[in-house]
Coordinates of all heavy atoms in Angstrom, one line a residue:
M1 N 0.9 -1.2 0.0 CA 0.0 0.0 0.0 C 0.9 1.2 0.0 O 1.8 1.3 0.9 CB -0.9 0.0 1.2 CG -1.8 1.1 1.3 SD -3.1 0.9 2.6 CE -2.2 0.8 4.1
K2 N 0.6 2.1 -1.0 CA 1.4 3.3 -1.0 C 0.5 4.5 -0.9 O -0.4 4.7 -1.5 CB 2.1 3.3 -2.5 CG 2.7 4.6 -2.9 CD 3.2 4.4 -4.3 CE 3.7 5.7 -4.9 NZ 4.0 5.6 -6.3
Q3 N 1.0 5.5 0.0 CA 0.2 6.7 0.2 C 0.7 7.7 -0.9 O 1.9 7.9 -1.1 CB 0.5 7.3 1.6 CG -0.4 8.5 1.8 CD -0.3 9.0 3.3 OE1 0.3 8.5 4.1 NE2 -1.2 10.0 3.5
L4 N -0.3 8.3 -1.4 CA -0.1 9.4 -2.4 C 0.1 10.8 -1.6 O -0.7 11.1 -0.7 CB -1.2 9.5 -3.3 CG -1.4 8.4 -4.3 CD1 -2.6 8.7 -5.2 CD2 -0.2 8.0 -5.1
T5 N 1.1 11.6 -2.1 CA 1.3 12.9 -1.6 C 0.4 13.8 -2.3 O -0.2 13.5 -3.4 CB 2.8 13.3 -1.7 OG1 3.0 13.4 -3.2 CG2 3.7 12.4 -1.1
Q6 N 0.2 15.0 -1.9 CA -0.5 16.0 -2.6 C 0.1 16.2 -4.0 O -0.6 16.4 -5.0 CB -0.5 17.4 -1.8 CG -1.4 17.3 -0.6 CD -2.8 17.1 -0.9 OE1 -3.4 17.5 -2.0 NE2 -3.5 16.4 0.1
E7 N 1.5 16.2 -4.1 CA 2.1 16.3 -5.5 C 1.7 15.3 -6.4 O 1.4 15.4 -7.5 CB 3.6 16.4 -5.3 CG 4.3 16.7 -6.6 CD 5.8 16.9 -6.5 OE1 6.3 17.0 -5.3 OE2 6.5 16.8 -7.5
N8 N 1.8 13.9 -5.8 CA 1.3 12.8 -6.6 C -0.1 13.0 -7.2 O -0.4 12.7 -8.3 CB 1.3 11.5 -5.8 CG 2.6 11.0 -5.2 OD1 2.7 10.6 -4.1 ND2 3.7 11.2 -6.0
I9 N -1.1 13.5 -6.3 CA -2.4 13.7 -6.6 C -2.5 14.7 -7.7 O -3.2 14.6 -8.7 CB -3.3 14.0 -5.4 CG1 -3.3 12.7 -4.5 CG2 -4.6 14.4 -5.9 CD1 -3.9 13.0 -3.1
L10 N -1.8 15.9 -7.5 CA -1.9 17.0 -8.5 C -1.4 16.5 -9.8 O -2.0 16.9 -10.9 CB -1.1 18.2 -8.0 CG -1.7 19.0 -6.9 CD1 -0.7 20.1 -6.4 CD2 -3.0 19.7 -7.4
K11 N -0.4 15.7 -9.9 CA 0.3 15.3 -11.1 C -0.2 14.0 -11.7 O 0.3 13.5 -12.6 CB 1.8 15.2 -10.9 CG 2.4 16.6 -10.7 CD 4.0 16.4 -10.5 CE 4.6 17.8 -10.3 NZ 6.1 17.7 -10.3
N12 N -1.3 13.5 -10.9 CA -1.8 12.2 -11.3 C -0.8 11.1 -11.4 O -0.8 10.2 -12.4 CB -2.6 12.3 -12.7 CG -3.8 13.2 -12.6 OD1 -4.6 13.1 -11.6 ND2 -3.9 14.2 -13.6
Q13 N 0.1 11.0 -10.4 CA 1.1 10.0 -10.4 C 0.6 8.7 -9.7 O 0.7 8.7 -8.5 CB 2.4 10.6 -9.8 CG 3.1 11.8 -10.5 CD 4.1 12.3 -9.7 OE1 4.1 12.5 -8.5 NE2 5.1 12.9 -10.5
V14 N 0.1 7.9 -10.5 CA -0.3 6.5 -10.0 C 0.4 5.5 -10.9 O 1.1 5.8 -11.8 CB -1.8 6.5 -10.1 CG1 -2.5 7.4 -9.1 CG2 -2.4 6.7 -11.5
D15 N 0.1 4.2 -10.6 CA 0.8 3.1 -11.2 C 0.1 2.5 -12.4 O 0.7 2.0 -13.3 CB 1.0 2.0 -10.2 CG 1.9 2.4 -9.1 OD1 2.7 3.3 -9.2 OD2 1.8 1.8 -8.0
T16 N -1.3 2.6 -12.5 CA -2.0 2.0 -13.6 C -3.1 2.9 -14.2 O -3.4 4.0 -13.5 CB -2.7 0.7 -13.1 OG1 -3.8 1.1 -12.2 CG2 -1.8 -0.3 -12.4
I17 N -3.4 2.6 -15.3 CA -4.6 3.4 -16.0 C -5.8 3.3 -15.2 O -6.5 4.3 -15.0 CB -4.8 2.9 -17.4 CG1 -3.7 3.1 -18.3 CG2 -6.1 3.5 -18.0 CD1 -3.6 2.4 -19.7
E18 N -6.1 2.2 -14.6 CA -7.4 2.1 -13.8 C -7.3 2.9 -12.5 O -8.3 3.6 -12.1 CB -7.5 0.6 -13.3 CG -7.9 -0.3 -14.5 CD -6.6 -0.9 -15.2 OE1 -5.5 -0.5 -14.9 OE2 -6.8 -1.6 -16.2
Q19 N -6.1 3.0 -11.9 CA -5.9 3.9 -10.7 C -6.1 5.4 -11.1 O -6.7 6.1 -10.5 CB -4.5 3.7 -10.1 CG -4.4 2.4 -9.4 CD -3.0 2.2 -8.9 OE1 -2.1 2.9 -9.4 NE2 -2.8 1.3 -8.0
F20 N -5.6 5.7 -12.3 CA -5.8 7.1 -12.9 C -7.3 7.4 -13.0 O -7.7 8.4 -12.6 CB -5.1 7.2 -14.2 CG -5.3 8.5 -14.9 CD1 -4.6 9.6 -14.5 CD2 -6.4 8.6 -15.8 CE1 -5.0 10.9 -15.1 CE2 -6.6 9.8 -16.4 CZ -6.0 10.9 -16.1
K21 N -8.0 6.5 -13.5 CA -9.4 6.7 -13.7 C -10.2 6.9 -12.3 O -11.0 7.7 -12.2 CB -10.0 5.5 -14.5 CG -9.6 5.6 -16.0 CD -10.2 4.4 -16.8 CE -9.7 4.5 -18.2 NZ -10.2 3.5 -19.0
V22 N -9.7 6.1 -11.3 CA -10.3 6.2 -10.0 C -10.0 7.6 -9.4 O -10.8 8.3 -8.9 CB -9.9 5.1 -9.1 CG1 -10.4 5.4 -7.7 CG2 -10.4 3.8 -9.6
L23 N -8.7 7.9 -9.5 CA -8.2 9.3 -9.0 C -8.9 10.4 -9.7 O -9.3 11.3 -9.0 CB -6.7 9.3 -9.2 CG -6.0 10.6 -8.6 CD1 -6.3 10.7 -7.1 CD2 -4.6 10.7 -8.9
D24 N -9.1 10.3 -11.0 CA -9.8 11.3 -11.7 C -11.2 11.5 -11.2 O -11.7 12.6 -10.9 CB -9.8 11.0 -13.2 CG -10.4 12.1 -14.1 OD1 -9.9 13.3 -14.0 OD2 -11.3 11.8 -14.7
Y25 N -11.9 10.3 -11.0 CA -13.2 10.4 -10.4 C -13.3 11.0 -9.0 O -14.1 11.9 -8.8 CB -13.7 8.9 -10.3 CG -15.0 8.7 -9.6 CD1 -16.2 8.9 -10.2 CD2 -15.0 8.4 -8.2 CE1 -17.4 8.7 -9.6 CE2 -16.2 8.3 -7.6 CZ -17.4 8.4 -8.2 OH -18.6 8.3 -7.5
L26 N -12.3 10.7 -8.1 CA -12.2 11.2 -6.8 C -12.0 12.7 -6.9 O -12.7 13.4 -6.1 CB -11.2 10.5 -6.0 CG -11.4 9.0 -5.7 CD1 -10.2 8.4 -5.0 CD2 -12.6 8.8 -4.8
K27 N -11.1 13.1 -7.7 CA -10.8 14.6 -7.8 C -12.1 15.3 -8.2 O -12.3 16.5 -7.8 CB -9.7 14.8 -8.7 CG -8.3 14.3 -8.1 CD -7.2 14.3 -9.2 CE -6.6 15.6 -9.4 NZ -5.4 15.4 -10.3
K28 N -13.0 14.7 -9.0 CA -14.2 15.4 -9.5 C -15.3 15.3 -8.5 O -16.1 16.3 -8.4 CB -14.6 14.8 -10.9 CG -13.7 15.1 -12.0 CD -14.1 14.4 -13.3 CE -13.2 14.7 -14.4 NZ -13.5 13.8 -15.6
Q29 N -15.3 14.3 -7.7 CA -16.4 14.1 -6.8 C -16.2 14.5 -5.3 O -17.2 14.7 -4.6 CB -16.8 12.5 -6.7 CG -17.2 12.0 -8.1 CD -18.4 12.6 -8.7 OE1 -19.4 13.0 -8.0 NE2 -18.5 12.8 -10.0
L30 N -15.0 14.5 -4.9 CA -14.6 14.8 -3.5 C -13.7 16.0 -3.4 O -12.9 16.3 -4.3 CB -14.0 13.6 -2.8 CG -14.7 12.3 -2.8 CD1 -14.0 11.1 -2.3 CD2 -16.1 12.4 -2.1
S31 N -13.6 16.5 -2.2 CA -12.5 17.5 -1.8 C -11.3 16.6 -1.5 O -11.0 16.4 -0.3 CB -12.9 18.4 -0.6 OG -14.1 19.1 -1.0
I32 N -10.6 16.1 -2.5 CA -9.6 15.1 -2.4 C -8.4 15.5 -1.4 O -7.9 14.7 -0.8 CB -9.1 14.6 -3.7 CG1 -8.3 13.3 -3.6 CG2 -8.3 15.7 -4.4 CD1 -9.1 12.1 -3.4
D33 N -8.2 16.9 -1.3 CA -7.1 17.3 -0.4 C -7.5 17.1 1.0 O -6.6 17.3 1.9 CB -6.8 18.7 -0.8 CG -8.0 19.6 -0.7 OD1 -9.1 19.2 -1.0 OD2 -7.8 20.9 -0.4
E34 N -8.6 16.7 1.3 CA -9.0 16.5 2.8 C -8.9 15.0 3.2 O -9.4 14.6 4.2 CB -10.5 17.0 3.1 CG -10.6 18.5 2.9 CD -11.9 19.0 3.1 OE1 -12.7 18.4 3.8 OE2 -12.3 20.0 2.6
F35 N -8.4 14.2 2.3 CA -8.3 12.7 2.5 C -6.8 12.3 2.4 O -6.1 12.9 1.7 CB -9.1 12.0 1.5 CG -10.6 12.2 1.5 CD1 -11.2 13.2 0.9 CD2 -11.4 11.4 2.4 CE1 -12.5 13.5 0.9 CE2 -12.8 11.6 2.4 CZ -13.3 12.7 1.7
A36 N -6.5 11.2 3.2 CA -5.3 10.4 2.9 C -5.7 9.5 1.7 O -6.7 8.8 1.9 CB -4.9 9.7 4.1
V37 N -4.8 9.3 0.8 CA -5.2 8.5 -0.4 C -4.0 7.5 -0.6 O -2.8 7.7 -0.5 CB -5.2 9.4 -1.7 CG1 -5.5 8.6 -2.9 CG2 -6.3 10.6 -1.5
Y38 N -4.4 6.2 -0.7 CA -3.5 5.1 -0.9 C -3.9 4.2 -2.1 O -5.0 4.0 -2.4 CB -3.6 4.2 0.4 CG -3.3 4.8 1.7 CD1 -4.3 5.5 2.4 CD2 -2.0 4.7 2.2 CE1 -4.0 6.1 3.6 CE2 -1.8 5.4 3.4 CZ -2.7 6.1 4.1 OH -2.4 6.7 5.3
L39 N -2.8 3.8 -2.7 CA -2.9 2.9 -3.9 C -3.0 1.5 -3.2 O -2.0 1.1 -2.5 CB -1.7 3.0 -4.9 CG -1.6 4.3 -5.5 CD1 -0.4 4.3 -6.4 CD2 -2.8 4.8 -6.2
I40 N -4.0 0.7 -3.5 CA -4.1 -0.6 -2.9 C -3.7 -1.8 -4.0 O -2.9 -2.6 -3.6 CB -5.5 -0.9 -2.5 CG1 -6.0 0.2 -1.4 CG2 -5.7 -2.3 -1.9 CD1 -5.2 0.2 -0.2
D41 N -4.4 -1.8 -5.1 CA -4.0 -2.7 -6.1 C -4.2 -2.0 -7.5 O -4.5 -0.8 -7.5 CB -4.7 -4.0 -6.0 CG -6.3 -3.9 -6.2 OD1 -6.8 -3.0 -6.8 OD2 -6.9 -4.7 -5.6
R42 N -4.0 -2.7 -8.6 CA -4.1 -1.9 -9.8 C -5.5 -1.3 -10.1 O -5.6 -0.5 -11.0 CB -3.7 -2.9 -11.0 CG -4.6 -4.0 -11.3 CD -4.1 -4.8 -12.4 NE -4.4 -4.1 -13.7 CZ -4.8 -4.7 -14.8 NH1 -4.8 -6.0 -14.9 NH2 -5.1 -4.0 -15.9
F43 N -6.6 -1.7 -9.4 CA -7.9 -1.2 -9.6 C -8.4 -0.3 -8.5 O -9.5 0.4 -8.7 CB -9.0 -2.4 -9.8 CG -8.7 -3.2 -11.0 CD1 -8.0 -4.4 -10.9 CD2 -9.1 -2.9 -12.2 CE1 -7.8 -5.2 -12.0 CE2 -9.0 -3.7 -13.3 CZ -8.2 -4.9 -13.2
T44 N -7.8 -0.3 -7.3 CA -8.3 0.2 -6.2 C -7.6 1.3 -5.5 O -6.3 1.2 -5.4 CB -8.5 -0.9 -5.1 OG1 -9.2 -2.0 -5.7 CG2 -9.4 -0.5 -3.9
I45 N -8.3 2.3 -5.0 CA -7.7 3.4 -4.2 C -8.5 3.5 -3.0 O -9.8 3.4 -3.0 CB -7.7 4.8 -4.9 CG1 -6.7 4.7 -6.2 CG2 -7.4 5.9 -4.0 CD1 -6.7 6.0 -7.0
K46 N -7.8 3.6 -1.8 CA -8.4 3.7 -0.5 C -8.3 5.1 -0.1 O -7.2 5.8 -0.3 CB -7.6 2.8 0.5 CG -8.0 2.9 1.9 CD -7.2 2.0 2.8 CE -7.4 2.1 4.2 NZ -6.6 1.2 5.0
V47 N -9.4 5.7 0.5 CA -9.4 7.0 1.1 C -9.7 7.0 2.6 O -10.5 6.2 3.0 CB -10.3 8.0 0.3 CG1 -9.9 8.2 -1.1 CG2 -11.7 7.6 0.4
I48 N -9.0 7.8 3.4 CA -9.3 7.9 4.8 C -9.5 9.4 5.1 O -8.7 10.2 4.7 CB -8.1 7.4 5.7 CG1 -7.8 5.9 5.3 CG2 -8.5 7.4 7.2 CD1 -6.6 5.3 6.0
D49 N -10.7 9.6 5.7 CA -11.0 11.0 6.1 C -10.5 11.4 7.4 O -9.9 10.6 8.1 CB -12.5 11.4 5.9 CG -13.4 10.7 7.0 OD1 -12.8 10.2 8.0 OD2 -14.6 10.7 6.8
K50 N -10.7 12.8 7.8 CA -10.2 13.2 9.0 C -10.8 12.6 10.2 O -10.2 12.7 11.4 CB -10.4 14.8 9.1 CG -11.8 15.2 9.0 CD -12.0 16.7 9.0 CE -13.4 17.1 8.9 NZ -13.6 18.5 8.7
N51 N -11.9 11.8 10.1 CA -12.5 11.1 11.2 C -12.1 9.7 11.2 O -12.6 8.8 11.9 CB -14.1 11.2 11.1 CG -14.6 12.6 11.2 OD1 -14.1 13.4 12.0 ND2 -15.6 12.9 10.5
N52 N -11.1 9.3 10.5 CA -10.5 8.1 10.3 C -11.4 6.9 9.7 O -11.3 5.8 9.9 CB -9.9 7.6 11.6 CG -8.7 6.7 11.5 OD1 -8.0 6.8 10.5 ND2 -8.5 5.8 12.4
E53 N -12.4 7.4 9.0 CA -13.4 6.6 8.3 C -12.7 6.3 6.9 O -12.2 7.2 6.3 CB -14.7 7.2 8.2 CG -15.4 7.3 9.6 CD -16.8 7.7 9.5 OE1 -17.5 7.4 8.5 OE2 -17.3 8.3 10.5
Q54 N -12.9 5.1 6.4 CA -12.2 4.8 5.2 C -13.3 4.1 4.2 O -14.3 3.7 4.5 CB -11.1 3.8 5.4 CG -11.5 2.5 6.1 CD -10.3 1.7 6.5 OE1 -9.2 2.3 6.6 NE2 -10.5 0.4 6.8
G55 N -12.9 4.3 2.9 CA -13.7 3.7 1.9 C -12.7 3.3 0.7 O -11.6 3.8 0.6
Y56 N -13.2 2.4 -0.1 CA -12.4 1.9 -1.3 C -13.2 2.3 -2.5 O -14.4 2.0 -2.7 CB -12.2 0.4 -1.1 CG -11.5 0.0 0.1 CD1 -12.1 -0.1 1.3 CD2 -10.1 -0.1 0.1 CE1 -11.4 -0.5 2.5 CE2 -9.4 -0.4 1.2 CZ -10.0 -0.5 2.4 OH -9.3 -0.9 3.6
F57 N -12.4 2.8 -3.5 CA -13.0 3.1 -4.8 C -12.3 2.2 -5.8 O -11.0 2.2 -5.9 CB -12.8 4.5 -5.1 CG -13.6 5.4 -4.2 CD1 -13.1 5.9 -2.9 CD2 -14.9 5.9 -4.6 CE1 -14.0 6.6 -2.2 CE2 -15.6 6.7 -3.8 CZ -15.2 7.1 -2.6
K58 N -13.1 1.4 -6.6 CA -12.5 0.4 -7.5 C -13.0 0.7 -8.9 O -14.2 0.9 -9.1 CB -12.8 -0.9 -7.0 CG -12.2 -2.1 -7.7 CD -12.5 -3.4 -7.1 CE -11.6 -3.6 -5.9 NZ -11.5 -5.0 -5.5
Y59 N -12.1 0.6 -9.9 CA -12.5 0.7 -11.2 C -13.0 -0.6 -11.7 O -12.4 -1.6 -11.6 CB -11.4 1.3 -12.1 CG -11.7 1.4 -13.6 CD1 -12.5 2.5 -13.9 CD2 -11.3 0.4 -14.5 CE1 -12.9 2.6 -15.2 CE2 -11.7 0.7 -15.9 CZ -12.5 1.7 -16.2 OH -12.9 1.9 -17.5
N60 N -14.3 -0.6 -12.3 CA -14.9 -1.8 -12.9 C -14.7 -1.7 -14.3 O -15.3 -1.0 -15.0 CB -16.4 -1.8 -12.5 CG -17.1 -3.0 -12.9 OD1 -16.8 -3.6 -14.0 ND2 -18.0 -3.5 -12.1
S61 N -13.9 -2.6 -14.8 CA -13.5 -2.6 -16.2 C -14.6 -3.1 -17.2 O -14.6 -2.8 -18.3 CB -12.2 -3.6 -16.5 OG -12.4 -4.8 -16.0
K62 N -15.6 -3.8 -16.5 CA -16.8 -4.2 -17.4 C -17.7 -3.0 -17.6 O -18.2 -2.9 -18.7 CB -17.5 -5.4 -16.7 CG -16.7 -6.6 -16.7 CD -17.5 -7.7 -16.0 CE -16.7 -9.0 -16.1 NZ -17.3 -10.1 -15.4
T63 N -18.1 -2.3 -16.5 CA -19.0 -1.2 -16.7 C -18.3 0.1 -17.0 O -19.0 1.1 -17.3 CB -19.8 -1.1 -15.3 OG1 -19.0 -0.6 -14.3 CG2 -20.5 -2.3 -15.0
K64 N -17.0 0.2 -16.9 CA -16.2 1.4 -17.1 C -16.6 2.5 -16.1 O -16.5 3.7 -16.4 CB -16.4 2.0 -18.5 CG -16.1 0.9 -19.6 CD -14.7 0.6 -19.7 CE -14.4 -0.3 -20.9 NZ -13.7 -1.5 -20.7
E65 N -17.0 2.1 -14.9 CA -17.4 3.0 -13.8 C -16.5 2.7 -12.6 O -15.9 1.7 -12.4 CB -18.9 2.9 -13.5 CG -19.8 3.3 -14.7 CD -21.2 3.2 -14.3 OE1 -21.6 2.9 -13.2 OE2 -22.1 3.5 -15.3
V66 N -16.6 3.7 -11.7 CA -16.0 3.6 -10.3 C -17.0 3.2 -9.4 O -18.0 3.8 -9.2 CB -15.2 4.9 -10.0 CG1 -14.6 4.8 -8.6 CG2 -14.1 5.2 -11.0
D67 N -16.7 2.1 -8.6 CA -17.6 1.6 -7.7 C -17.0 1.9 -6.2 O -15.8 1.8 -6.1 CB -17.8 0.1 -7.7 CG -18.5 -0.2 -9.1 OD1 -19.3 0.5 -9.6 OD2 -18.1 -1.3 -9.7
F68 N -17.9 2.1 -5.2 CA -17.5 2.4 -3.9 C -17.7 1.1 -3.0 O -18.8 0.5 -3.2 CB -18.3 3.5 -3.3 CG -18.0 3.7 -1.8 CD1 -16.9 4.3 -1.3 CD2 -19.0 3.3 -0.9 CE1 -16.7 4.4 0.0 CE2 -18.8 3.4 0.5 CZ -17.6 4.0 1.0
Y69 N -16.8 0.8 -2.1 CA -16.9 -0.3 -1.2 C -16.5 0.2 0.2 O -15.5 0.9 0.3 CB -16.0 -1.5 -1.6 CG -16.4 -2.0 -3.0 CD1 -15.8 -1.5 -4.2 CD2 -17.4 -3.0 -3.1 CE1 -16.1 -2.0 -5.4 CE2 -17.7 -3.6 -4.3 CZ -17.1 -3.0 -5.5 OH -17.4 -3.6 -6.7
E70 N -17.2 -0.2 1.2 CA -16.8 0.1 2.6 C -15.7 -0.7 3.0 O -14.9 -0.4 3.9 CB -18.0 -0.1 3.6 CG -19.0 1.0 3.3 CD -20.1 1.0 4.4 OE1 -20.1 0.3 5.3 OE2 -21.2 1.6 4.1
K71 N -15.6 -2.0 2.5 CA -14.5 -2.9 2.9 C -13.8 -3.4 1.6 O -14.4 -3.5 0.6 CB -15.0 -4.2 3.6 CG -15.7 -3.8 4.9 CD -16.1 -5.1 5.7 CE -17.0 -4.9 6.8 NZ -16.3 -4.4 8.1
Y72 N -12.5 -3.7 1.8 CA -11.7 -4.1 0.6 C -11.9 -5.6 0.5 O -11.7 -6.4 1.4 CB -10.3 -3.8 0.8 CG -9.4 -4.3 -0.3 CD1 -9.4 -3.7 -1.6 CD2 -8.5 -5.3 0.0 CE1 -8.6 -4.2 -2.5 CE2 -7.7 -5.8 -1.0 CZ -7.7 -5.2 -2.3 OH -7.0 -5.7 -3.3
T73 N -12.2 -6.0 -0.7 CA -12.1 -7.4 -1.1 C -11.5 -7.6 -2.4 O -11.8 -6.8 -3.4 CB -13.6 -8.0 -1.2 OG1 -14.3 -7.3 -2.1 CG2 -14.2 -8.1 0.2
K74 N -10.6 -8.5 -2.6 CA -9.9 -8.7 -3.9 C -10.9 -9.5 -4.7 O -11.2 -10.7 -4.3 CB -8.6 -9.5 -3.6 CG -7.8 -9.5 -5.0 CD -6.4 -9.8 -4.6 CE -5.7 -10.0 -5.9 NZ -4.9 -8.8 -6.3
N75 N -11.3 -9.0 -5.8 CA -12.4 -9.6 -6.6 C -11.7 -10.0 -7.9 O -11.3 -9.2 -8.7 CB -13.5 -8.6 -6.9 CG -14.6 -9.2 -7.7 OD1 -14.6 -10.2 -8.2 ND2 -15.8 -8.5 -7.6
K76 N -11.7 -11.3 -8.1 CA -11.0 -11.8 -9.4 C -11.8 -11.4 -10.7 O -11.2 -11.2 -11.7 CB -11.0 -13.4 -9.4 CG -10.0 -13.8 -8.3 CD -8.6 -13.6 -8.7 CE -7.6 -14.1 -7.6 NZ -6.3 -13.6 -7.7
E77 N -13.1 -11.2 -10.5 CA -13.9 -10.8 -11.7 C -13.4 -9.5 -12.2 O -13.4 -9.2 -13.4 CB -15.3 -10.5 -11.2 CG -16.4 -11.6 -11.5 CD -16.2 -12.3 -12.8 OE1 -16.5 -11.7 -13.9 OE2 -15.8 -13.4 -12.9
M78 N -13.0 -8.5 -11.3 CA -12.5 -7.2 -11.8 C -11.2 -7.3 -12.6 O -10.9 -6.4 -13.3 CB -12.2 -6.4 -10.5 CG -13.4 -6.0 -9.7 SD -13.9 -4.5 -10.4 CE -15.1 -4.0 -9.2
E79 N -10.5 -8.4 -12.5 CA -9.2 -8.5 -13.1 C -9.2 -9.1 -14.5 O -8.2 -9.2 -15.2 CB -8.1 -9.2 -12.2 CG -8.0 -8.6 -11.0 CD -6.9 -9.3 -10.0 OE1 -6.3 -10.3 -10.5 OE2 -6.7 -8.9 -8.9
R80 N -10.4 -9.4 -15.0 CA -10.6 -9.9 -16.3 C -10.7 -8.9 -17.3 O -11.1 -7.8 -17.1 CB -11.8 -10.8 -16.4 CG -11.6 -12.1 -15.5 CD -12.7 -13.1 -15.7 NE -12.5 -14.2 -14.8 CZ -13.5 -15.1 -14.4 NH1 -14.7 -14.9 -15.0 NH2 -13.2 -16.0 -13.6

């Protein structure tokens, strides 16, 4: 798990295209600078807010959308 810095976020410095799509979604939907942001796997980004609540945003390659999960589960379907 790798934490992104504000500079990483501003410059969209992530490891995969799927992570880029999730980060782009987060930047459009949330005040991303108020969260700690972590790269989890090639599809998933974890965010933690100031109240220490966390959520997982995962790119779904079938629907081409970003899905939200309260808990992280590695889903083999997503990797196809």
Side-chain angles (χ1 to χ4, degrees):
M1 181 167 61
K2 171 183 165 185
Q3 183 171 5
L4 295 181
T5 65
Q6 289 298 327
E7 184 177 348
N8 296 139
I9 293 168
L10 283 173
K11 294 182 176 181
N12 295 314
Q13 293 174 328
V14 292
D15 298 334
T16 66
I17 292 169
E18 293 86 0
Q19 289 172 345
F20 172 82
K21 290 178 180 182
V22 173
L23 183 61
D24 185 57
Y25 171 86
L26 293 173
K27 289 165 84 172
K28 290 176 181 172
Q29 301 297 324
L30 303 173
S31 297
I32 194 75
D33 53 332
E34 296 181 23
F35 294 90
V37 180
Y38 298 88
L39 302 180
I40 301 297
D41 62 30
R42 69 178 280 217
F43 295 98
T44 310
I45 292 180
K46 173 182 177 179
V47 296
I48 302 175
D49 70 11
K50 61 185 176 187
N51 297 324
N52 211 30
E53 294 190 29
Q54 59 190 19
Y56 298 86
F57 293 86
K58 185 175 283 201
Y59 182 73
N60 184 322
S61 55
K62 289 183 180 175
T63 64
K64 308 288 188 236
E65 293 182 2
V66 175
D67 298 324
F68 172 78
Y69 298 91
E70 289 186 15
K71 296 186 189 280
Y72 175 71
T73 54
K74 189 162 177 99
N75 185 347
K76 294 290 182 196
E77 260 322 286
M78 291 266 189
E79 297 182 7
R80 290 186 187 166

